[in-house]
Short mmCIF file of all heavy atoms in Angstrom, two decimals:
data_model
loop_
_atom_site.label_atom_id
_atom_site.label_comp_id
_atom_site.label_asym_id
_atom_site.label_seq_id
_atom_site.Cartn_x
_atom_site.Cartn_y
_atom_site.Cartn_z
N GLN H 97 -4.02 -14.36 17.16
CA GLN H 97 -4.32 -13.65 18.40
C GLN H 97 -5.25 -12.49 18.09
O GLN H 97 -5.34 -12.04 16.94
CB GLN H 97 -3.03 -13.14 19.02
CG GLN H 97 -1.98 -14.22 19.25
CD GLN H 97 -2.48 -15.30 20.19
OE1 GLN H 97 -3.02 -15.00 21.25
NE2 GLN H 97 -2.32 -16.56 19.79
N VAL H 98 -5.89 -11.99 19.12
CA VAL H 98 -6.77 -10.83 18.95
C VAL H 98 -6.00 -9.67 18.33
O VAL H 98 -6.52 -8.93 17.48
CB VAL H 98 -7.41 -10.43 20.29
CG1 VAL H 98 -8.17 -9.12 20.14
CG2 VAL H 98 -8.32 -11.53 20.81
N SER H 99 -4.75 -9.53 18.71
CA SER H 99 -3.92 -8.42 18.20
C SER H 99 -3.59 -8.55 16.71
O SER H 99 -3.05 -7.61 16.12
CB SER H 99 -2.61 -8.35 18.99
OG SER H 99 -1.91 -9.58 18.92
N ASP H 100 -3.89 -9.68 16.10
CA ASP H 100 -3.70 -9.85 14.65
C ASP H 100 -4.85 -9.26 13.83
O ASP H 100 -4.78 -9.24 12.60
CB ASP H 100 -3.55 -11.33 14.29
CG ASP H 100 -2.29 -11.96 14.86
OD1 ASP H 100 -1.27 -11.25 14.94
OD2 ASP H 100 -2.33 -13.14 15.23
N SER H 101 -5.87 -8.81 14.49
CA SER H 101 -7.01 -8.21 13.80
C SER H 101 -6.54 -6.98 13.02
O SER H 101 -5.98 -6.05 13.61
CB SER H 101 -8.11 -7.81 14.79
OG SER H 101 -8.61 -8.94 15.48
N ALA H 102 -6.74 -7.01 11.72
CA ALA H 102 -6.19 -5.97 10.84
C ALA H 102 -6.68 -6.26 9.43
O ALA H 102 -7.39 -7.23 9.19
CB ALA H 102 -4.66 -5.98 10.87
N VAL H 103 -6.27 -5.41 8.49
CA VAL H 103 -6.51 -5.67 7.08
C VAL H 103 -5.19 -6.09 6.45
O VAL H 103 -4.17 -5.43 6.65
CB VAL H 103 -7.09 -4.44 6.36
CG1 VAL H 103 -7.36 -4.76 4.89
CG2 VAL H 103 -8.36 -3.95 7.03
N TYR H 104 -5.21 -7.17 5.68
CA TYR H 104 -4.01 -7.73 5.07
C TYR H 104 -4.08 -7.56 3.56
O TYR H 104 -5.09 -7.90 2.93
CB TYR H 104 -3.88 -9.20 5.45
CG TYR H 104 -3.59 -9.39 6.93
CD1 TYR H 104 -4.63 -9.34 7.86
CD2 TYR H 104 -2.29 -9.54 7.39
CE1 TYR H 104 -4.38 -9.47 9.22
CE2 TYR H 104 -2.03 -9.68 8.75
CZ TYR H 104 -3.07 -9.63 9.65
OH TYR H 104 -2.81 -9.75 11.00
N PHE H 105 -2.99 -7.04 3.00
CA PHE H 105 -2.91 -6.77 1.57
C PHE H 105 -1.79 -7.59 0.94
O PHE H 105 -0.65 -7.54 1.41
CB PHE H 105 -2.61 -5.30 1.28
CG PHE H 105 -3.71 -4.35 1.67
CD1 PHE H 105 -3.77 -3.81 2.94
CD2 PHE H 105 -4.68 -3.99 0.74
CE1 PHE H 105 -4.78 -2.92 3.29
CE2 PHE H 105 -5.69 -3.11 1.07
CZ PHE H 105 -5.74 -2.58 2.35
N CYS H 106 -2.12 -8.31 -0.10
CA CYS H 106 -1.13 -8.98 -0.92
C CYS H 106 -0.69 -8.02 -2.02
O CYS H 106 -1.50 -7.20 -2.50
CB CYS H 106 -1.75 -10.24 -1.52
SG CYS H 106 -0.63 -11.31 -2.42
N ALA H 107 0.58 -8.07 -2.41
CA ALA H 107 1.06 -7.13 -3.42
C ALA H 107 2.17 -7.75 -4.25
O ALA H 107 2.86 -8.67 -3.79
CB ALA H 107 1.56 -5.84 -2.77
N LEU H 108 2.34 -7.25 -5.46
CA LEU H 108 3.48 -7.66 -6.26
C LEU H 108 4.22 -6.43 -6.76
O LEU H 108 3.65 -5.34 -6.89
CB LEU H 108 3.04 -8.57 -7.42
CG LEU H 108 2.17 -8.04 -8.56
CD1 LEU H 108 2.98 -7.27 -9.60
CD2 LEU H 108 1.49 -9.22 -9.26
N ARG H 109 5.48 -6.63 -7.05
CA ARG H 109 6.35 -5.54 -7.51
C ARG H 109 6.45 -5.63 -9.02
O ARG H 109 6.76 -6.68 -9.57
CB ARG H 109 7.73 -5.71 -6.88
CG ARG H 109 8.65 -4.54 -7.03
CD ARG H 109 9.78 -4.66 -6.03
NE ARG H 109 10.72 -3.55 -6.15
CZ ARG H 109 11.93 -3.67 -6.65
NH1 ARG H 109 12.37 -4.83 -7.08
NH2 ARG H 109 12.72 -2.62 -6.72
N ARG H 110 6.21 -4.55 -9.70
CA ARG H 110 6.20 -4.57 -11.16
C ARG H 110 7.35 -3.75 -11.73
O ARG H 110 7.81 -2.79 -11.12
CB ARG H 110 4.87 -4.02 -11.68
CG ARG H 110 4.55 -2.63 -11.21
CD ARG H 110 3.24 -2.12 -11.79
NE ARG H 110 2.63 -1.13 -10.92
CZ ARG H 110 1.56 -0.43 -11.23
NH1 ARG H 110 0.95 -0.60 -12.38
NH2 ARG H 110 1.05 0.44 -10.37
N ASP H 111 7.77 -4.15 -12.91
CA ASP H 111 8.75 -3.40 -13.69
C ASP H 111 10.05 -3.18 -12.94
O ASP H 111 10.76 -2.22 -13.22
CB ASP H 111 8.20 -2.02 -14.11
CG ASP H 111 6.91 -2.12 -14.87
OD1 ASP H 111 6.73 -3.12 -15.57
OD2 ASP H 111 6.08 -1.20 -14.77
N ASN H 112 10.34 -4.04 -11.98
CA ASN H 112 11.58 -3.91 -11.22
C ASN H 112 11.69 -2.53 -10.54
O ASN H 112 12.77 -2.00 -10.36
CB ASN H 112 12.80 -4.14 -12.11
CG ASN H 112 13.99 -4.62 -11.32
OD1 ASN H 112 13.84 -5.28 -10.31
ND2 ASN H 112 15.17 -4.26 -11.79
N THR H 113 10.54 -1.97 -10.18
CA THR H 113 10.52 -0.72 -9.43
C THR H 113 9.70 -0.96 -8.16
O THR H 113 9.20 -2.05 -7.93
CB THR H 113 9.84 0.42 -10.21
OG1 THR H 113 8.43 0.17 -10.25
CG2 THR H 113 10.38 0.51 -11.62
#
Side-chain angles (χ1 to χ4, degrees):
Chain H
Q97 305 300 312
V98 172
S99 56
D100 294 326
S101 298
V103 181
Y104 292 81
F105 293 89
C106 186
L108 66 80
R109 192 162 179 252
R110 57 178 153 173
D111 304 329
N112 206 30
T113 72

